[in-house]
Amino acid sequence: MAGSVVPVSKVPSRNYGCINYCISEYCTYRLQPLQFQRKYLQQSLHGKLNFTKRLLNGPLICCDKLRPVAALESNAPDPIQQGSENLRGGKNFKEWNSLSAKFAGASNIPFLLLQLPQIILNARNLLAGNKTALFAVPWLGMFTGLLGNLSLLSYFIKKRETEVVVVQTLGVVSIYIVITQLAMAGAMPLPHYIVTSTVVFSGLILNFMNYFYLLNPGIWRLWEDFITIAGLSALPQVMWSTFLPYVPNTILPGLLAFVIAVMTVLMARMRKLSDRGIKFVGSISGWTATLLFMWMPVAQAWTNLRNPENIRGLSSVSMLLAMVGNGLMIPRALFIRDLMWFTGSSWASVFYGWGNLLCLYYFQCISREFFGAATIGLVAWIGMTLWKDTQVYGYTSPLTSLKELVFGH
């Protein structure tokens, strides 16, 4: 969140003729593009926006104090855009702000390399008429990943984290290409593909309209409700399906979660929940997407446990790219005190990337030198991240940074 929220009843107001407006509306104007500021101010002064619309659809009412983002506020805008020159680190703070954003942007490279081989292989099989080979790629798993990427894209669009927006957009596009190839081979039912295509194109259009302030806030709230319900419904179903055939093959977990998600969203919209509850509901879509990705190493570990001989089918290069790609986003997530992002990136880097490399090393699929270099690199990167964050914030211990990350002030 850009700043601490001020109760409306305590916000002093001023009277310009017959127009009343909250002074605090203007404290976030500097976070908006200049054209947006002028247009919004002109509409307010000419009475085109009444008080209720300006309160609900306008910028957040806030004050200037910069504070870390607490766990339940992970869906708030990036606080780093405000007053960084007043923080203890000074010039170092600004430099690390820029550098950590570049690290996050650089994660595009390993993530692109992660999907590209599968896209090329699928294209070759299609051109050779070998459509059966594409049935080895589970379309349901790809769809789950696509839904997760779309949810995280919406999350980072709101935070205006441009570099990560590019990463998530690339993830959506690359997975959609694979899904299109599966549909061409008949490995994905056509009706499911049509629905998926509609969701993807609608999601991309809505996200980028919102990024450039071209979208009605009411429409954006409907989209957020959709991805919240979809993500919350998919998560328990995916978790349940992992343990088949040891559990019954049923859609009951997803169905129950769907009912709970719909009721929760409706209660939040009707303001039947506390302010803290409404804030939590607003963060659900990002957390469910993160948990979907976090479940991937759990599912992979379960598969390795059940079929140890299949671990040789894992690509050590792919696991290394997953470790590096997610690891590059850890400094930025810690720097802006985003608990959800930090949790997802750290988990994927350590448990999915490095964890699978550990399995490959245990079963003697990779050399000691390869595993040792990957381990030393990961430990050094995490250590450097903690040290640098502690330095730029002017703390004496990295535990202070981690405490702020989890609890805020």
Side-chain angles (χ1 to χ4, degrees), residues 218-233:
I219 298 176
W220 179 252
R221 284 194 292 270
L222 288 175
W223 168 252
E224 286 189 308
D225 291 344
F226 169 76
I227 59 177
T228 296
I229 294 171
L232 201 56
S233 303

Side-chain angles (χ1 to χ4, degrees), residues 212-258:
F212 293 106
Y213 303 98
L214 300 174
L215 189 65
N216 182 283
I219 298 176
W220 179 252
R221 284 194 292 270
L222 288 175
W223 168 252
E224 286 189 308
D225 291 344
F226 169 76
I227 59 177
T228 296
I229 294 171
L232 201 56
S233 303
L235 178 61
Q237 188 63 46
V238 169
M239 296 173 70
W240 180 269
S241 299
T242 300
F243 300 106
L244 293 175
Y246 296 98
V247 295
N249 187 4
T250 176
I251 61 170
L252 186 60
L255 186 60
L256 289 175
F258 173 78

